[in-house]
Structures are given as structure tokens and as C-alpha cells.
Amino acid sequence: MKKQTPVKEQLLVLLKKHRELSIDQIMNHFSISEIAVRKHLQGLASQNFVNIIHHKQEIGRPYHTYQLAEKGHAYFPNQYQQLSLQLLEDLEDIYGIDTVNGILKKQTDRMEEKLIKEMEKTKIEDNLDIFIKNQNERGYMFERRINSDGSTVLINYHCPFKDAAVKYPSICKHEEQMLSDLFFDEKITTQSLITDGKACCQWKVSR
């Protein structure tokens, strides 16, 4: 898919992370004029990347919020060639669900082995950065937030396997197990999942 201009790209990423925003909320992330930002949003809306939602109020003027349309979500990488939902369904029909879950587990194990080899070459405190870098290269959109209590929240705003993960939730369970294996000195707590209809996946990493 054709790349967008830097401002439009930033708008798409922003709406991917926050699901729905008003123009005031959007302007907190830009130094250019509001008129320019609105023009970019209108352009994205005309291309069907963004939905403009109209809100009426009993008191005060109507206002708009913005959110990604399906085409906007599809702008981000999806690894359908590597993990075809139809292929998994065919395998389930022929060999059963245990075979499908076994294949999915094998995929996660392969990634875990790769990460372990990379982590062995670096300092322990850099391991989380290595994990985030590798996952983002696979099409995810990971970042981390440090809480006041010293714990870390891993946040993922885009799942390249979403359709498959909705049908086969073991994908998410394998990912969580991989986190537990890689960071065995930490406690991993799942706080939200995109497959449950949330805006992002979140895992708390704490001692």
C-alpha cells in the first residue's frame, strides 16, 4: 500500500494507538496549525482511512471525533502470508484443533529461541528493548511505559495476526507464555487484549 505523507502517517499511528480522538486531543501531538491538521484529516477521510464522527450536544455546538476506518487499520502490516487463517481452518478440519494449536506453539517457540540467542549477547537490562525491537519488526506496534511503582507495562497497538488470534486464542496464550519464559524473574500479568475488543494489548511486568 502506498505510503502516506509524514503528517498523515503520524495521524494514522496516533489514531491506531488511541482509537478515537477529538481535534483538541490530536493537536497535543502536533506543532503545525490546526487548519493544516484538519486538512490532513479530511484527506485521510476522503481516502476512507479515517472516519469522522459527528456528536450533538444539548448545550453547545456539535463537535467531531476521529477514528481509524477498516482501511486505516489495514494500512498497518499484516502477516497473512505467514499465517493464513484459511490454512489454519483447513488444518483443523483435517487434523483437529490440537494440531493447529501445536503448529501455533511451534511458531512461538521458534521466535522465543531467536530472542534467547539475541538476549544472551547483551546485558539483562537491554532484554526488553530487544523483545520490543523484534516484535515491531514482525509487524507489531510495541512500546513500554514505566509506572510509578517501578513496574513496566508493555503495550501493543497492532496485532498482525488479529483475525487468526480471534479464531485461535491459543496464539495470545503462547505469546504470554513466551513473555514469562523470556522474563522468568518477573511476574507477567495480562491487562487487556485486542482480541477482546480492547484498543491495545497490555502486559504488566513486575518483580
Side-chain angles (χ1 to χ4, degrees):
M1 188 178 290
K2 186 179 177 181
K3 294 286 284 183
Q4 296 286 345
T5 63
V7 173
K8 286 180 178 171
E9 183 101 14
Q10 189 178 347
L11 283 166
L12 290 172
V13 171
L14 194 60
L15 292 173
K16 181 71 177 174
K17 289 183 176 182
H18 296 282
R19 179 168 285 190
E20 186 174 338
L21 293 172
S22 67
I23 188 64
D24 288 341
Q25 291 169 318
I26 290 171
M27 288 308 301
N28 289 329
H29 300 269
F30 288 91
S31 57
I32 61 176
S33 70
E34 183 178 319
I35 293 174
V37 171
R38 284 184 183 273
K39 207 174 270 189
H40 285 294
L41 286 166
Q42 288 289 346
L44 288 170
S46 67
Q47 294 176 294
N48 299 316
F49 284 101
V50 168
N51 290 327
I52 301 176
I53 303 164
H54 305 273
H55 301 270
K56 292 182 179 180
Q57 301 184 97
E58 291 184 10
I59 301 174
R61 298 173 59 187
Y63 68 98
H64 303 136
T65 55
Y66 303 85
Q67 65 177 200
L68 285 188
E70 277 302 311
K71 188 177 177 182
H73 286 287
Y75 179 78
F76 297 91
N78 288 291
Q79 297 189 12
Y80 292 119
Q81 293 181 353
Q82 289 84 358
L83 187 59
S84 165
L85 178 57
Q86 185 176 358
L87 176 60
L88 291 174
E89 290 172 339
D90 290 343
L91 283 168
E92 182 182 0
D93 288 342
I94 298 170
Y95 299 108
I97 188 65
D98 288 344
T99 297
V100 173
N101 287 334
I103 290 171
L104 294 171
K105 179 68 165 62
K106 185 70 175 175
Q107 293 283 325
T108 308
D109 288 346
R110 187 176 292 116
M111 173 51 63
E112 185 176 326
E113 289 172 11
K114 177 178 181 289
L115 285 166
I116 288 172
K117 287 180 181 177
E118 289 197 31
M119 289 176 177
E120 286 175 346
K121 303 173 186 175
T122 61
K123 299 176 182 177
I124 293 177
E125 56 266 27
D126 295 332
N127 285 349
L128 208 52
D129 290 331
I130 291 172
F131 174 81
I132 291 171
K133 176 178 176 290
N134 275 270
Q135 293 297 79
N136 288 348
E137 287 174 353
R138 296 173 67 205
Y140 291 87
M141 192 187 290
F142 267 90
E143 64 181 36
R144 64 173 169 173
R145 183 181 71 231
I146 307 298
N147 291 330
S148 57
D149 63 1
S151 63
T152 295
V153 177
L154 276 174
I155 306 170
N156 174 45
Y157 296 100
H158 177 65
C159 176
F161 305 121
K162 180 184 174 184
D163 289 349
V166 169
K167 175 77 186 238
Y168 300 103
S170 63
I171 292 175
C172 300
K173 292 178 181 176
H174 297 328
E175 293 278 346
E176 183 179 352
Q177 184 60 52
M178 178 173 69
L179 275 170
S180 296
D181 292 343
L182 292 171
F183 305 103
F184 53 86
D185 285 338
E186 313 283 349
K187 180 183 178 183
I188 310 296
T189 307
T190 301
Q191 297 187 319
S192 67
L193 292 171
I194 292 172
T195 51
D196 290 336
K198 304 300 183 183
C200 60
C201 295
Q202 293 189 76
W203 298 270
K204 185 177 181 181
V205 182
S206 55
R207 289 286 176 182

